[in-house]
Amino acid sequence: MASSFNSGSMRGGRGRKLKSEINVVPYIDVMLCLLIIFMVMPSSNNPSSIDLPHAEKSVRPPDAYIQVTIKPNGALSIGIAGKNADAPETAPNRDALVRKLAALHEDNPDYPVLIAGDKESKYDDVIQLISEAKKMGINRVGLATK
């Protein structure tokens, strides 16, 4: 009986060969699931508003400076603030404001320019004004904080 058991499992004396291959189908399934998860997640995490950081006041603000104010509705005003303060003038558009800024800088070349933007105003408007001031040769341009 023992001999028939051995001969039946060996199938004529030849043994089974081991397969040395890796089955990659489960790995592909896992990768596709991860891909779908990473494609869906960013679309559900869009923030509706961005809170910008708050800065502290500088130790010593300038005595006199040219202040440009940007309101959220697009209204622009410019004037001299500080010890030689005058009433700020409203500007109908950015070109008029840039011309007035050039005239004020020509009259007062030592005064720095401070841009005061409301937190609801467009970030692009502030950056464009900083760029225009730098193009005019104004080196001291800052942002006013509350």
Side-chain angles (χ1 to χ4, degrees):
M1 276 231 181
S3 64
S4 67
F5 180 70
N6 277 342
S7 65
S9 65
M10 296 297 277
R11 292 190 185 181
R14 292 186 359 221
R16 298 178 105 192
K17 290 185 180 179
L18 294 176
K19 254 184 157 179
S20 61
E21 295 177 359
I22 297 175
N23 189 5
V24 294
V25 174
Y27 300 115
I28 293 172
D29 291 343
V30 169
M31 292 304 292
L32 287 175
C33 289
L34 288 175
L35 178 67
I36 290 170
I37 289 170
F38 286 123
M39 287 174 60
V40 170
M41 286 303 289
S43 63
S44 65
N45 284 343
N46 287 339
S48 59
S49 66
I50 299 172
D51 294 327
L52 296 176
H54 300 283
E56 295 183 20
K57 288 186 176 181
S58 64
V59 178
R60 184 173 172 257
D63 294 332
Y65 54 92
I66 300 170
Q67 182 171 7
V68 178
T69 306
I70 303 170
K71 297 291 180 188
N73 61 359
L76 302 168
S77 63
I78 186 169
I80 295 179
K83 66 179 181 180
N84 299 334
D86 62 354
E89 299 177 23
T90 59
N93 56 22
R94 185 182 298 169
D95 293 334
L97 181 95
V98 169
R99 285 194 298 273
K100 180 66 178 169
L101 178 61
L104 283 174
H105 179 65
E106 191 174 310
D107 294 341
N108 308 300
D110 295 333
Y111 286 4
V113 174
L114 286 180
I115 299 174
D118 189 79
K119 70 178 184 178
E120 299 296 322
S121 59
K122 291 182 181 177
Y123 185 70
D124 183 54
D125 293 340
V126 175
I127 296 301
Q128 292 297 329
L129 284 175
I130 292 172
S131 175
E132 289 293 331
K134 291 286 186 178
K135 285 179 187 175
M136 284 185 232
I138 303 172
N139 294 325
R140 295 174 56 196
V141 179
L143 299 174
T145 60
K146 289 185 179 181

